[in-house]
Amino acid sequence: MVGKKQKLSKKIAKKFTLHRKYYSDTVSEYSSLNPFQRTKKSDKYAAISDKVNAQNQRIKEIEEQQEQDELEQEIGGDVDTLYEVGPSSYDLLVKSSQDKLKLRLKQLEEQEKLEKKLKKNNKKRLFSNIKDEDEDEDNDIEDEDNQEQYDNDDDDDDDDNDNDDDEEDDLEEEVEGGEEGVEEEEGEEEEFEEEEEEEEEVEEEEEEGEIEEIEQVEKDLNSDIEENEEQDFTDVYGNKDDKEDEEEEVETNKTLEKLKKSELFENTNDNGIYNIHFNKDITSKEEMNEILLKSQNLESVSKEIEDIGVITSIGCTDYDNLINENKQQGKSNQKKVKEQKESILPILKNTFHEYDIKKRLYKPWLKSKTKKENELYFTNLQKNLFPIFNEYRDLLYTEESMKNHKSIFKLYALHAVNHIFKSKDQLSEDNALINECKKLKKPEPDLRHQGFTRPKVVIIVPFRNTAFEIVRFILKLVPHELKDQVENKTKFNNEYTQFDQDQEINENKPDDYKYIFRDNIDDCFRFGLSFRKGGVKLYSTFYHADIIIASPLGLRLVIGTEGDSQRDFDFLSSVEVLIIDQIDSIQQQNWDHINVLFENLNRIPTQDHNIDFSRLRNSSLEGLSQNLRQTLLFSSNLTPELNSIFNQHCKNISGKIRIKKIKNGEITNIVPSLRQTFHRLYLDSNDDSKIRFNFLIDNILPKFVQQGENSGILLYISNFFEFTMIRNYFRKEAKSYVICSEYTDPKAVTRARSQFKESAKTIMLFTERFHFFNRYHIRGIKHVIFFGLPQNSHFYSEILNMITENDGSIISLYTLKDKMALERIVGTQRSYKMLESDKSTHLFSN
């Protein structure tokens, strides 16, 4: 109640008089010893948490010092001389799990706080009820006490200038005057003391509980770090409780007759391309080398198809000969098979049956089409690509664009699902044959049609937006029961469609930029798809999935590198179809992830994953699965890195196909009339970057200085290593320059663009990756120097079309390694003439 004076016991009265008198030297100390003032719970909790944090910090500093001492002993020098290494894939996964645990702990803490508040409110209500009952009895005493308090306050106001001793004497007199009423009110004081003691005990218990809670949180975090190896890679291994749900659903009890009556089964064609290619009995490496040698000795054949490009067949064997060989096996009268000398081109067919496409895919495919261009409802591009897919030949297609991308991913999705159905039907048929033999007590046939692990198809795409569209189309091809899939589909839609509203694309950006960076552009993901009775199951664990869809980064975090404590690549041991789409976008991320993927494909597993070795293919046992794997590569540009992957890692026994168009060149798309100079530099060694760098600082930059050009020079750099080399030189020579790279802060980019536009800086260092991810319109460009030709050819015309003045100069440096980029920029015929010419400088003007 307002104005109510608190009652003091004798102990508190002594503290009030003696302690305050003898232990306070200042006003703040004097006021802090007020017995009526009590510390808040929040202050106590803050002090406890500070104490715990300080203890943890001391332990951390001691551990760091011990690690530093150990490093100094090992290297025999100062630790500061070592370079810092970024976090490994395992560390990133540990950090993500810790963040999830911390969020969960915050939620629990908030719930506990709410419960504590409710308990406190209930206690207050009880105390208030008790006080209300005793209120009438204590009214007279409270009035007298209040009157004494007001009188003493008036006396204090009159004696404002008195000494501290006088104030203490007044307080002593006040306490002594109150001692007369203490004896009369002893019972009430004892009750008050008991209440205070009870409150202090409650506070102490709460403090102890808070300390125990903090210690428990620390224990949970430490135990999470220790047990993280078991919790990591749940999308690869799954949870222990989910093992029964993840078991492969294969009909083992049905006979072959019952199996044939099922709508979800079709007989395996013994003379089909799938059976001839994957079930070929190869028992040794020598036998595989003979097959590859025959394929390599075949003469390559090329053919130009309108609107498609030039199709080049390399080492493609004739399946008709293989089918005839397969039919004549075991016969006494074998006919001679024609000897093949040239690689054959893909053979176009007219119906689903001729392509051996499963019947249950026919209607869903027709529903996904609006126009009937032929019996297969294929577009012109799909009609020419699907024979390559179906014949299980490797493909390098470098004419992908935003216009034909949907046709391409729908076609390889159909091929992937058809391949999975073929392998599952083969497995069901083998199980039925073995089951019949067991019932009839006959010897089991030797059926070797399996690999080490279940995943058969891997699809690599750069962003979640493409993965979402692929899965959505697969769900259309394979009808599924909604009851089993609603939860996973909702989770999938939430994770793969939501995107940051702050990253909305400007309408003035180019069309290809808006298509690539549409919707969700997260580049770290991976998940599995499994095909069952009910249809498709999303988020299957890798070892129980038929198709794995992932980004290069998402898969690299699982594959890891040598030395990582947690890594796994066994699920890639039996991949039969590998599809990598939008490679031009992947090259702007990190190409090293793709190299690591190919290094770990089709390797013999390090562990036994419940493999039935009696059903395993001999080629898998001999480590020859990579020669049976089909690889499909799709990109809009042909680069040396992509060409190297195609030549070194695509060793399919069925051969490979390359498709590319004859280029007219990007120089035909330039609007302003500019003088374009191309300087060819001859390689003395393998390091062409140093040759270009020396030519830049010795010949090009001095010319601009002599001509008095001190503004508007844009230096285009396609490689980050070359960018750092030039930036370090400019910094050392104190050149007038600004930077626009992929790692530049957005505010610094805005400042650099402004300074370059206003001619405050002479040169802008401009990287290709920065242009790929931003596509800014740079104003103030007068001259452009291409330190290396753009890998994305349309960037060449985009940069030059930013120039407003027609008297600007364009200088491009290239070597023999830039042959592919040069062809895309100047055109196929012009590039051949330039490379064959004895001149090192070529001039173009439009």
Side-chain angles (χ1 to χ4, degrees):
M1 296 176 64
V2 178
K4 182 179 178 181
K5 181 180 177 182
Q6 296 184 9
K7 299 172 184 177
L8 305 173
S9 65
K10 292 181 179 180
K11 292 181 180 179
I12 297 176
K14 288 180 181 179
K15 287 182 181 179
F16 186 74
T17 54
L18 298 176
H19 287 68
R20 255 185 135 184
K21 181 176 180 180
Y22 295 108
Y23 292 98
S24 59
D25 296 329
T26 61
V27 176
S28 61
E29 291 179 355
Y30 186 79
S31 60
S32 65
L33 292 173
N34 187 359
F36 297 101
Q37 184 179 1
R38 301 180 67 180
T39 57
K40 297 180 180 179
K41 292 182 180 179
S42 60
D43 296 337
K44 291 181 180 179
Y45 295 158
I48 293 168
S49 62
D50 292 340
K51 191 181 293 183
V52 173
N53 292 333
Q55 184 178 1
N56 293 336
Q57 185 65 25
R58 287 194 298 271
I59 294 171
K60 185 177 179 181
E61 290 175 357
I62 293 170
E63 291 176 352
E64 290 178 354
Q65 186 63 35
Q66 290 176 355
E67 292 177 0
Q68 188 172 2
D69 294 337
E70 291 175 1
L71 283 172
E72 288 179 353
Q73 291 178 1
E74 289 179 4
I75 65 176
D78 190 7
V79 181
D80 294 335
T81 59
L82 296 174
Y83 293 98
E84 292 185 0
V85 181
S88 64
S89 58
Y90 174 71
D91 295 333
L92 292 172
L93 291 168
V94 170
K95 185 179 178 183
S96 63
S97 61
Q98 286 180 350
D99 294 339
K100 292 179 181 178
L101 180 61
K102 288 179 180 178
L103 289 173
R104 180 59 180 164
L105 287 173
K106 285 182 180 179
Q107 294 175 358
L108 293 173
E109 287 175 0
E110 290 176 357
Q111 292 177 0
E112 289 178 357
K113 287 180 181 178
L114 290 173
E115 292 176 356
K116 286 181 180 179
K117 285 182 179 179
L118 292 173
K119 290 181 180 178
K120 289 180 182 177
N121 292 332
N122 293 331
K123 285 183 180 179
K124 287 181 179 178
R125 289 174 184 172
L126 291 172
F127 282 120
S128 63
N129 293 331
I130 294 169
K131 288 180 180 179
D132 291 338
E133 292 175 358
D134 299 331
E135 206 173 290
D136 297 333
E137 297 177 1
D138 298 334
N139 278 338
D140 297 330
I141 299 170
E142 286 175 2
D143 292 335
E144 291 176 3
D145 293 335
N146 289 333
Q147 188 63 37
E148 289 176 4
Q149 185 178 3
Y150 293 142
D151 295 336
N152 291 329
D153 291 339
D154 293 333
D155 294 335
D156 293 333
D157 293 332
D158 295 332
D159 299 327
D160 287 333
N161 297 325
D162 290 348
N163 297 329
D164 294 338
D165 293 334
D166 295 336
E167 291 179 1
E168 292 173 0
D169 292 338
D170 293 334
L171 292 169
E172 288 176 2
E173 291 173 4
E174 187 176 344
V175 172
E176 288 173 0
E179 287 179 355
E180 295 176 357
V182 166
E183 294 177 358
E184 298 175 356
E185 300 170 355
E186 254 179 25
E188 295 178 359
E189 288 177 358
E190 289 176 358
E191 290 178 0
F192 182 77
E193 288 177 5
E194 289 176 358
E195 289 179 0
E196 281 189 339
E197 290 175 359
E198 288 177 359
E199 290 180 359
E200 288 177 358
E201 289 176 358
V202 170
E203 289 178 359
E204 289 177 358
E205 289 177 359
E206 290 179 352
E207 289 175 2
E208 291 176 358
E210 186 71 22
I211 294 171
E212 291 177 357
E213 185 178 354
I214 293 171
E215 292 177 352
Q216 186 65 33
V217 170
E218 291 180 351
K219 289 179 181 178
D220 292 340
L221 288 173
N222 293 330
S223 63
D224 177 66
I225 294 171
E226 292 174 357
E227 298 175 358
N228 211 8
E229 290 186 359
E230 297 179 359
Q231 296 178 359
D232 281 345
F233 299 163
T234 54
D235 52 354
V236 180
Y237 305 118
N239 298 322
K240 294 180 180 179
D241 299 334
D242 298 336
K243 281 188 176 180
E244 293 181 0
D245 296 335
E246 293 289 346
E247 290 295 328
E248 184 178 359
E249 293 186 358
V250 178
E251 298 292 343
T252 56
N253 296 323
K254 284 189 176 181
T255 60
L256 194 58
E257 293 181 359
K258 292 182 179 180
L259 200 61
K260 290 178 180 179
K261 295 178 181 179
S262 175
E263 295 179 356
L264 301 178
F265 172 79
E266 294 176 46
N267 280 335
T268 302
N269 187 1
D270 293 336
N271 295 322
I273 297 175
Y274 169 83
N275 186 55
I276 293 172
H277 179 80
F278 289 103
N279 297 331
K280 197 179 186 69
D281 189 14
I282 302 174
T283 57
S284 65
K285 291 184 178 180
E286 290 75 13
E287 188 177 352
M288 177 64 75
N289 291 332
E290 290 180 5
I291 296 172
L292 291 174
L293 185 61
K294 289 180 180 179
S295 176
Q296 293 171 2
N297 291 333
L298 296 177
E299 184 180 351
S300 299
V301 176
S302 298
K303 179 183 179 182
E304 185 176 2
I305 300 176
E306 186 178 359
D307 298 330
I308 302 298
V310 179
I311 298 180
T312 304
S313 175
I314 306 169
C316 295
T317 55
D318 189 354
Y319 271 109
D320 291 336
N321 291 341
L322 296 176
I323 291 170
N324 292 330
E325 289 179 2
N326 191 41
K327 288 180 179 179
Q328 293 178 14
Q329 283 182 358
K331 293 183 180 180
S332 57
N333 299 325
Q334 293 186 0
K335 298 180 182 179
K336 291 184 178 180
V337 180
K338 294 181 180 179
E339 185 178 357
Q340 184 182 352
K341 296 181 179 180
E342 292 183 349
S343 178
I344 67 166
L345 293 168
I347 300 173
L348 303 181
K349 298 178 182 179
N350 298 321
T351 63
F352 266 54
H353 177 71
E354 291 178 0
Y355 278 126
D356 198 17
I357 300 175
K358 295 298 181 179
K359 294 178 181 178
R360 51 189 183 271
L361 292 174
Y362 184 65
K363 288 183 179 180
W365 174 259
L366 297 186
K367 289 180 180 179
S368 66
K369 292 291 185 177
T370 56
K371 294 181 180 180
K372 182 180 179 181
E373 298 183 6
N374 47 55
E375 292 296 328
L376 293 165
Y377 284 77
F378 283 168
T379 62
N380 187 35
L381 178 62
Q382 291 174 340
K383 184 177 67 174
N384 288 278
L385 288 182
F386 194 76
I388 304 171
F389 296 177
N390 193 64
E391 293 173 5
Y392 290 102
R393 308 191 194 278
D394 294 340
L395 172 66
L396 175 59
Y397 182 76
T398 56
E399 302 301 330
E400 190 176 39
S401 65
M402 67 174 188
K403 295 180 180 179
N404 61 19
H405 180 243
K406 288 187 177 180
S407 297
I408 291 171
F409 81 71
K410 286 182 178 180
L411 193 68
Y412 68 63
L414 172 67
H415 173 60
V417 174
N418 187 48
H419 177 77
I420 295 299
F421 284 172
K422 288 179 180 178
S423 62
K424 293 181 78 67
D425 287 349
Q426 177 76 70
L427 185 60
S428 299
E429 186 176 351
D430 291 350
N431 290 332
L433 288 172
I434 292 173
N435 188 36
E436 284 186 353
C437 291
K438 287 181 179 179
K439 288 183 177 180
L440 298 174
K441 296 181 180 181
K442 292 182 179 180
E444 295 182 4
D446 187 16
L447 301 173
R448 295 181 175 272
H449 301 144
Q450 295 185 22
F452 290 107
T453 54
R454 181 171 173 179
K456 299 292 187 294
V457 178
V458 174
I459 301 175
I460 305 296
V461 290
F463 302 116
R464 288 183 183 242
N465 49 24
T466 306
F468 174 75
E469 292 181 352
I470 292 170
V471 173
R472 187 171 61 177
F473 183 72
I474 290 175
L475 294 179
K476 290 180 181 179
L477 289 178
V478 185
H480 51 281
E481 295 179 3
L482 295 177
K483 293 181 181 179
D484 299 334
Q485 303 299 331
V486 166
E487 182 179 353
N488 287 344
K489 284 182 68 177
T490 304
K491 176 184 176 183
F492 180 76
N493 290 332
N494 292 336
E495 291 183 356
Y496 285 78
T497 57
Q498 293 178 355
F499 62 99
D500 190 359
Q501 296 292 338
D502 297 335
Q503 296 181 351
E504 291 185 0
I505 300 175
N506 189 350
E507 294 181 357
N508 296 326
K509 299 288 186 182
D511 292 337
D512 64 312
Y513 179 86
K514 289 187 284 188
Y515 181 78
I516 293 171
F517 295 98
R518 68 195 184 280
D519 300 334
N520 194 328
I521 56 171
D522 180 36
D523 63 346
C524 184
F525 62 90
R526 57 181 182 268
F527 60 92
L529 302 177
S530 62
F531 294 82
R532 298 184 164 201
K533 290 181 182 178
V536 181
K537 180 181 179 182
L538 301 174
Y539 293 102
S540 295
T541 57
F542 280 10
Y543 285 98
H544 298 89
D546 297 303
I547 298 177
I548 295 173
I549 302 177
S551 65
L553 176 59
L555 208 56
R556 173 68 182 273
L557 292 176
V558 179
I559 297 173
T561 54
E562 293 184 4
D564 290 347
S565 58
Q566 182 78 357
R567 60 181 302 216
D568 191 3
F569 49 82
D570 287 354
F571 59 89
L572 299 172
S573 60
S574 300
V575 173
E576 297 173 353
V577 178
L578 172 66
I579 302 169
I580 307 180
D581 195 6
Q582 293 180 306
I583 296 178
D584 49 320
S585 297
I586 293 174
Q587 285 187 310
Q588 301 297 335
Q589 295 174 348
N590 192 340
W591 187 249
D592 185 54
H593 298 334
I594 299 297
N595 291 327
V596 172
L597 170 63
F598 276 96
E599 289 173 1
N600 292 278
L601 274 171
N602 300 113
R603 293 173 59 177
I604 296 177
T606 57
Q607 297 179 4
D608 179 11
H609 299 279
N610 298 323
I611 302 170
D612 185 1
F613 288 94
S614 64
R615 306 279 295 276
L616 198 62
R617 294 188 180 106
N618 291 322
S619 57
S620 298
L621 288 171
E622 294 295 331
L624 305 174
S625 299
Q626 61 180 353
N627 299 116
L628 302 176
R629 184 191 70 237
Q630 181 187 34
T631 306
L632 305 176
L633 307 173
F634 301 96
S635 176
S636 61
N637 300 312
L638 179 60
T639 62
E641 295 84 3
L642 178 57
N643 200 44
S644 175
I645 289 290
F646 187 66
N647 292 331
Q648 294 181 9
H649 295 284
C650 296
K651 299 178 180 179
N652 191 345
I653 60 173
S654 295
K656 49 190 176 182
I657 303 290
R658 185 195 302 266
I659 301 177
K660 69 172 186 176
K661 291 182 179 179
I662 297 174
K663 310 293 184 183
N664 294 324
E666 278 294 322
I667 58 174
T668 59
N669 299 326
I670 297 170
V671 177
S673 58
L674 300 169
R675 187 178 68 244
Q676 305 169 48
T677 306
F678 290 83
H679 291 281
R680 179 180 179 181
L681 305 179
Y682 295 92
L683 297 175
D684 297 333
S685 62
N686 293 326
D687 192 0
D688 58 336
S689 299
K690 290 184 178 179
I691 297 172
R692 286 201 295 261
F693 177 74
N694 293 332
F695 189 84
L696 175 70
I697 62 176
D698 294 339
N699 299 297
I700 298 177
L701 294 180
K703 286 184 179 180
F704 283 105
V705 175
Q706 292 174 3
Q707 295 173 2
E709 297 290 346
N710 56 2
S711 64
I713 303 174
L714 187 139
L715 182 55
Y716 186 97
I717 309 166
S718 59
N719 188 304
F720 187 76
F721 170 75
E722 296 170 348
F723 163 75
T724 54
M725 181 171 58
I726 296 172
R727 181 199 59 191
N728 294 339
Y729 170 77
F730 277 27
R731 186 179 295 171
K732 181 180 179 182
E733 298 294 327
K735 298 283 186 181
S736 175
Y737 71 100
V738 291
I739 293 175
C740 284
S741 72
E742 58 269 27
Y743 300 109
T744 307
D745 186 72
K747 293 181 179 179
V749 170
T750 304
R751 186 166 55 251
R753 291 173 63 191
S754 177
Q755 291 175 348
F756 186 75
K757 177 185 175 182
E758 296 171 359
S759 301
K761 298 291 183 179
T762 304
I763 301 174
M764 173 182 281
L765 301 183
F766 191 85
T767 63
E768 183 168 344
R769 289 184 69 189
F770 173 81
H771 187 61
F772 175 80
F773 286 106
N774 297 281
R775 299 290 187 92
Y776 289 134
H777 183 82
I778 308 298
R779 292 179 174 85
I781 302 176
K782 298 178 182 178
H783 311 279
V784 179
I785 303 172
F786 287 98
F787 188 77
L789 297 179
Q791 296 297 333
N792 290 282
S793 57
H794 56 280
F795 288 176
Y796 184 84
S797 58
E798 283 184 12
I799 296 295
L800 298 192
N801 287 334
M802 296 178 188
I803 301 174
T804 56
E805 299 180 4
N806 292 332
D807 57 348
S809 59
I810 313 301
I811 300 174
S812 302
L813 306 181
Y814 71 96
T815 64
L816 190 60
K817 291 183 178 180
D818 299 317
K819 176 183 177 181
M820 300 171 188
L822 182 68
E823 180 183 357
R824 293 191 294 270
I825 291 172
V826 302
T828 304
Q829 295 180 354
R830 299 187 190 94
S831 65
Y832 288 159
K833 291 179 181 180
M834 291 170 65
L835 294 173
E836 293 174 357
S837 175
D838 297 333
K839 297 179 181 180
S840 60
T841 302
H842 298 271
L843 182 64
F844 292 88
S845 60
N846 55 340

